[in-house]
Amino acid sequence: MITIDNVQIKKVVDTFVNCKEELDTKILNIEEIIDNITTAWNGSDETKLIEVLREKYVTGLKDLSNCLEEYTKYIDSTVDAFNLLDDTFSSKKIEV
C-alpha cells in the first residue's frame, strides 16, 4: 500500500514555489545590475561581458527557475493522481 502525506507534500510544493519566487526576484536584480553596467562602462569589453552574463548566467538561472516550476507542477499532479487512485480503489477489494 502506498500512502501519501498530503500535508507534507504540500509543504514541499510551497517550499519550491517560494524558492522559485525568490530566484525570480534575484534574477530581476541581476538583470538590473547588468543593465547598469552600460552606464558605468562602455566599449567592446563591456559589450562582451554583458552578452556573456545575459546568455550564460541569466539564461541558466531562468532555466533553473523554469525547472523549479515544472518540478512543482509534477509533485502537485502526482499527489492529485494518488488521491484519485485512492478515491477510486479505496472501496474495492483486490484479490491477488
Side-chain angles (χ1 to χ4, degrees), residues 66-84:
N66 291 335
C67 182
L68 285 170
E69 182 176 1
E70 291 302 314
Y71 193 63
T72 302
K73 289 177 186 177
Y74 173 76
I75 294 171
D76 232 3
S77 66
T78 302
V79 171
D80 292 342
F82 275 107
N83 286 336
L84 177 63

Side-chain angles (χ1 to χ4, degrees), residues 8-41:
Q8 289 301 320
I9 295 294
K10 292 298 180 183
K11 286 181 183 177
V12 170
V13 168
D14 290 343
T15 299
F16 274 88
V17 168
N18 291 336
C19 286
K20 184 198 177 319
E21 289 173 355
E22 187 176 328
L23 179 60
D24 289 345
T25 300
K26 298 294 184 188
I27 291 170
L28 288 174
N29 290 343
I30 290 169
E31 288 178 314
E32 286 177 18
I33 291 168
I34 291 170
D35 290 341
N36 288 332
I37 289 173
T38 60
T39 60
W41 183 14

Side-chain angles (χ1 to χ4, degrees), residues 27 30-38 46-62:
I27 291 170
I30 290 169
E31 288 178 314
E32 286 177 18
I33 291 168
I34 291 170
D35 290 341
N36 288 332
I37 289 173
T38 60
E46 172 261 338
T47 304
K48 288 178 188 174
L49 174 66
I50 288 177
E51 286 176 13
V52 168
L53 291 174
R54 284 190 178 137
E55 290 175 18
K56 256 188 163 177
Y57 301 107
V58 173
T59 301
L61 289 169
K62 286 182 178 181

